[in-house]
Amino acid sequence: MLRPLVGIRRLPFARQHVLLARRLIPRRTLATSAENDTTDVVRNEGLPDDPPKEPFGRKDAWIYLSGVFPIRFGVWDFRYIIARLEKEDIIDQINSLIGDFNKYNFQVLAVEGTQKDGGVFIHFEYDSSLSPSASSTATGTPGTSPPSPPIQGLSDFDRLKEIEVGLRKEVEKKGGLPTWKRYGTAHVWLVRGKPWREDLYRFPSPQLKVEFDGPDVDHESLYDILRPYGRIADMSVPVPVPAGTLRSSTVRFIKTQSATIARNCLHGIAVAPHAHDLGAIHGIPADGKLTRLRLIYEKAIKDHMFRDWISNHPRIVLPVAAFLLATLTYTIFDPVRAWFVEAKVLDWFDYRNYSVVRWLKRNTIERLSFDTTKVTPTPSASSAWRERQDAARDITAFLGEQPSNFALVTGPEGSGKGVMVAHALSSGNRHALTIDCAELCKATSDAALISELAKQTGYWPIFSMLSSINNLLDLASVGLIGQKAGFSTSIDQQMKQVLEVVGKGLEGVSKHHKAQVARREEYAKNEASEKEQEEARSELIRLGAWHDGRIDCVAGNGIMSELGFGDELLRESDYDAAPASSQAIFAASEPVEGEEKKKLDEEKADLGALPVVVMKNWALKGAKKDELWDVLSAWAAALVENKVAQVIFVSDNSSAPKNIAKALPSKPITTITLTDATAESALGFVTEKLKEAGVQDDLSADDCIEVRRLGGRLTDLESFVYKVRNGLTIAEAVEDIISRNVAEVRKNAFGDDAEDASNLPWTTEQAWGIFKRLAEEEEIPYADVLLDYPFKGNETALRELEHDEFINITQLNGRPNTIRAGKPVFYSVFQRLTSDKTFAAMQDIAYNEKAMAAAESAIRSAEQELNTLTNIGVDTGLKGWILGATGVEARASWLLRKIETNEKKLEILDAQNDKLKALLKKGE
């Protein structure tokens, strides 16, 4: 039976002959034909269509050259493309190296490159009938002389080993095999199995899967077979597999190249399964059972290995991931965020502050504007400042000191607190960061609160989605490991993280300001030095002791053109001739400054570099945000203690100091209280605004009376001016403001109906009783209101009325002293409510009925006690015994007087109710 022709390469360096025949390979031959060849093979040309039979005694085998090309580890390995360009040249060089080798009539049939494994296959023929001595002297064309009989005791395996060793010596003698890198070494290996030149996407790896087609091969035999090709790291034991599947062992080499050599040299080899069987590789065991090995590359890292490991070890992965995420945030994003905070405070992103923009605006828009109308200037708040000179001086003094405590600016809403603070900051050229707590309180979720805080402070970038993702991860970790992994943080911790970065940004503001001041001082110092040098040079020129050499070089000749001036020496008299006024150039013009003054200047410069943090709408009324107040006050205290910034709190809430005192308990708070403007200041403010608007230059006496009804609240005055500017008369504007406030007070203080009134934190009798007294008096004693009916010690109701700004409780020596109206216009509102006869009658009737019920309750209580005293024998009907009465009789006398007092009150209140009811019947 003839074997098919594999392919014959034309050898450009050897004799031109054609190998025409191959003989049938015996059953136990180690090398086989290259059937189903799919690799790139370089073949000879001009072969006849029907080659003759292979000469007697000729056999074929394979040699593998490792390390010629790079091992391709994946599709992405670009070295494969580079090596492919040199493939033809390298194969030609290999043919040149082995062309003269003729041991056992060695003859090359084909040279094939396997670039995926980084090697080259050499298919060759040899004469198995020659002895070693005959093979070394054999020449000529194979088959020209009759073959000699085989040498006894010398097997084909021994001849192939001699060919392998001889071929190694041959290439070493000629300088070694060529490689694609032009350096490094390649090696010659005898192929003992069946070469499998596949082009699958199975890329080499250091791990081989050895399948056993037959009985399992024990570890000793498998080790002996594979160890010559490289160091083995580990071998696995065959495990049970499904029916129809070959059992296998996994062998992991130290190097990938060792695995490629073993796979290409041993794939398809038939071996004995046990080490004690002789001829395990090239013989037949005693029982005749052989095992064929099939070697396949196996990925060292299995698919989804990392994913499976992560999912199977959440106790390790989740904390490590949290740590890496925190580290990434701290090292990369926090410095960027601090820079953005600094940029916001310094207004780096406000294009209107750039000199180029201002110059363009001044030379384009302002010059090309054809609008001839007079631009109305921005209304000034100077009138509102007349009542606040002391408060303004207090704020200026606070900003002029080193930070040691807080400043709290309090006052009713609309009293001009924000205007005053802004004026103080702008006049002192201080950089400020303003945080509006009212906007923070409007946030409906934790993420919205953090976003708003970041927006106001310039904290960017912020990843809001991470908060939700972290919460989900923590929720999943509770199910996996039984506890949170630490991804999500509470809202107070998130605010602390944001504010910590903001604090670093404020430190950068201070450093930037100091550096800027230092640059300006250095520039001024250099200018002064240059000016001084110029003056000194001018004086020397006047004395004739200095010449410009450049002028002399042009105008002079001889030695003057080289020296700049003549070779005569300068005399001291040239300097003494200067007048007394010019001697100051060479003397100290200013006395040496003292260390104390220098130190004061440095402290002043450091203080001017500190930014100011303004907390607007602090402790907002009605906002239940205790965590927000605690975190912000603690952060403000840290800024003050570390001398990072000065902090000013602006609040309408009289209880605001309680929130601040917790942060700095050992430091007193600088409290600056603002009140409403007086009537004269209010009139001046309104007159100024109306004059600026071009509505009215002056107010008449009647107009002044109307304006006085509004009081001195700045917001009400501005609303009044706005209405007058829009066409209302002064009387109409005042009436409109009062009417709106009347409707507001009536709705919010008394409710629309009985159900609304029952949900209020005070009773309608309590609200009506205090409003009725404030309609008659400007202020009333706090203790008198608290202890008398209808409050009877209920301080909570008073505080709730103050919270809703119906009243204002003033302090004296740290205790409540007097009660005033919540806004000045409320005095007119309360008078309007009491002048409404129907409304006042209904409220008085309800008020009297509650008072009558209280009186009746007191009478019944006294009567019950008197009844008890009567039962023990005390005569309660006589009055003459009171002077000599015992203690029990005195008690009975006191009860009788109490009954009498309450009875008179009942009669009076009942009579008042009858009159009020009669008034309601008339419908007035």
Side-chain angles (χ1 to χ4, degrees), residues 50-68:
D50 189 12
K53 293 183 179 180
E54 187 178 18
F56 174 75
R58 300 290 292 178
K59 295 182 179 180
D60 64 346
W62 296 81
I63 289 291
Y64 180 71
L65 307 181
S66 65
V68 177

Side-chain angles (χ1 to χ4, degrees), residues 67-71 77-84 86-87 90 115 118 177-184:
V68 177
F69 299 109
I71 298 175
D77 197 341
F78 63 92
R79 300 177 303 165
Y80 168 78
I81 301 175
I82 299 175
R84 190 170 185 176
E86 303 180 2
K87 179 179 177 180
I90 291 176
Q115 287 183 268
L177 291 169
T179 62
W180 75 286
K181 296 184 295 186
R182 306 303 185 207
Y183 64 89

Side-chain angles (χ1 to χ4, degrees), residues 365-373:
I365 299 176
E366 295 180 0
R367 287 180 179 271
L368 299 177
S369 177
F370 298 99
D371 187 8
T372 58
T373 60

Side-chain angles (χ1 to χ4, degrees), residues 105-169:
N105 288 335
F106 178 87
Q107 184 65 47
V108 176
L109 297 179
V111 179
E112 306 173 9
T114 59
Q115 287 183 268
K116 187 174 69 173
D117 293 341
V120 172
F121 277 113
I122 298 178
H123 191 198
F124 67 92
E125 278 190 348
Y126 68 98
D127 196 338
S128 62
S129 62
L130 295 179
S131 63
S133 59
S135 65
S136 61
T137 57
T139 58
T141 304
T144 56
S145 59
S148 58
I151 305 298
Q152 296 296 329
L154 187 63
S155 64
D156 286 341
F157 178 75
D158 296 330
R159 291 186 178 90
L160 291 174
K161 290 298 291 182
E162 289 184 10
I163 291 175
E164 178 186 14
V165 174
L167 197 58
R168 285 180 181 173
K169 292 180 180 179

